[in-house]
Amino acid sequence: MNPRPAPGDRPRPAPPRYAVVVPTVGRPSLRTCLTALARATEAAPPARVVVVHDRPGHDGTVPDLPVPDALRALTTVVAGPGRGPAAARNTGARLAGDAPWIVFLDDDVVPSPDWGDGLARDLAERPGDVAAVAARIDVPLPEGRPPTDAERNTAALATARWITADMAVRRAALDRVGGFDERFRRAFREDADLALRLLDDGWRLAQGTRRTAHPPRQGGRWLPVRQQAGNGDDVLMRRLHGPGWRARADAPGGRLPRHRAITAAGLAALGCALTGHRRAAAVCGALWGAGTAEFTLARVLPGPRTRTEVLDMILTSVAIPPAATWHWLRGLVVHRGALPRTPAADPAGPPTTTPTRPGTRREVTT
């Protein structure tokens, strides 16, 4: 006689066939990511794992990567094209076999111990018009002190909607919209672009239950300045999806208008000083100083206010506004003729849905 299931027990759904694609630049975090993936999927391993090393040697070879023994027989390691994570993910997707789902993981995330069971629940019996299922991202922050500026920036991923740190995408949907747009060369906005194209093609997006940790990024003092390159990607998003793209993608606006104003004030102060207009130079310089001070305080006050953190915030708060403005201007030039991609003309699209019109809110299931 079979025992009755205990009250509250949830039957484990049949695991779907899926492949995993991990783009990497060879960071040490890859070992932690793959080790956690192996442990989490021991009961129902993926059909294939494709690791795309996007910084191959000059001869196209890749170094020996730390693939756990449990995944070695399932894993293919290939050289990426060196054009950023969007192109690397497309390379991995082409080699991922015929599994109906592809799970994209970043090389710096850590799947939870029950990630495999959560993925099975997330994908089991999904309607055919659900194109993607996002994981829930946890960002472990230090206890006993306020988070630093870098830690707060990473913590924002916990509330972001459609980041490919851990995103399961239906192969038919990915093929239908042509994969990731390789014009996005950084790990920024390529996921939001894919989500909006899927919605516009009539697919739905879902929020899953599996959990994945994303430790705070470590990139040194000047990482916030380098990240301002994303302002050029925002220009491309506007070209492709219209002025309402932020609302549709749940992407809050940043401080670019203030950065442009601060940069303009600084340039005006310099120009006036060089041409002998001292009073105008003083006024513009005061405006630049006030804007820079406000920006610095906005970053210092929520943090731990250590000597190193305060110094980093002062230096980078001076550098960020002109860097942001430069990348925005460069984006206007580089992407001035950018055109939206169109879905493939094949029957792989969602069977009974109506495309979302630009400017409308997305439809999300759980």
Side-chain angles (χ1 to χ4, degrees), residues 55-196:
R55 288 184 182 172
H58 295 296
D59 58 354
T61 59
V62 297
D64 186 24
L65 297 181
V67 179
D69 291 340
L71 295 179
R72 191 168 296 276
L74 307 173
T75 301
T76 300
V77 179
V78 299
R83 298 195 304 271
R89 292 190 187 103
N90 285 340
T91 298
R94 288 191 290 268
L95 300 173
D98 61 353
W101 289 92
I102 301 175
V103 182
F104 295 99
L105 293 178
D106 285 352
D107 69 351
D108 57 350
V109 302
V110 184
S112 63
D114 61 350
W115 183 90
D117 289 343
L119 179 68
R121 289 192 299 270
D122 287 347
L123 304 187
E125 300 179 355
R126 283 287 177 185
D129 62 343
V130 171
V133 185
R136 298 184 184 273
I137 304 298
D138 298 318
V139 179
L141 294 176
E143 298 181 358
R145 65 164 175 81
T148 64
D149 180 72
E151 290 165 346
R152 293 194 304 274
N153 287 337
T154 307
L157 297 176
T159 57
R161 281 291 183 181
W162 309 118
I163 58 171
T164 40
D166 182 346
M167 176 73 74
V169 183
R170 193 184 295 273
R171 173 180 287 281
L174 189 68
D175 292 344
R176 163 81 183 172
V177 299
F180 289 89
D181 191 331
E182 297 182 11
R183 287 173 290 186
F184 292 92
R185 301 291 292 268
R186 286 165 290 275
F188 190 69
R189 300 304 188 209
E190 84 288 354
D191 39 20
D193 167 74
L194 178 65
L196 293 186

Side-chain angles (χ1 to χ4, degrees), residues 5-77:
D9 281 357
R10 297 180 62 183
R12 175 181 295 179
R17 292 184 64 248
Y18 68 98
V20 175
V21 171
V22 184
T24 184
V25 291
R27 292 183 289 189
S29 58
L30 177 65
R31 180 187 298 274
T32 304
C33 173
L34 294 180
T35 299
L37 177 67
R39 293 173 179 171
T41 60
E42 185 176 4
R48 184 173 297 180
V49 177
V50 183
V51 179
V52 184
H53 194 287
D54 210 33
R55 288 184 182 172
H58 295 296
D59 58 354
T61 59
V62 297
D64 186 24
L65 297 181
V67 179
D69 291 340
L71 295 179
R72 191 168 296 276
L74 307 173
T75 301
T76 300
V77 179

Side-chain angles (χ1 to χ4, degrees), residues 192-214:
D193 167 74
L194 178 65
L196 293 186
R197 285 189 287 121
L198 289 168
L199 289 171
D200 288 342
D201 196 39
W203 299 90
R204 290 188 296 150
L205 308 177
Q207 178 67 63
T209 60
R210 67 190 186 281
R211 307 200 76 91
T212 296
H214 194 309

Side-chain angles (χ1 to χ4, degrees), residues 282-366:
V283 172
C284 293
L287 292 174
W288 174 87
T292 302
E294 184 276 331
F295 182 39
T296 304
L297 288 174
R299 300 172 69 209
V300 167
L301 294 180
R305 307 183 197 178
T306 63
R307 180 178 180 179
T308 299
E309 174 78 357
V310 171
L311 178 61
D312 288 352
M313 295 302 97
I314 293 173
L315 293 175
T316 55
S317 294
V318 172
I320 283 175
T325 303
W326 162 251
H327 286 294
W328 170 71
L329 290 171
R330 182 177 179 275
L332 291 177
V333 174
V334 171
H335 302 306
R336 63 188 181 279
L339 297 175
R341 302 179 69 179
T342 56
D346 62 36
T352 58
T353 55
T354 302
T356 303
R357 292 176 299 174
T360 61
R361 299 291 289 175
R362 70 182 190 284
E363 183 175 2
V364 180
T365 60
T366 57

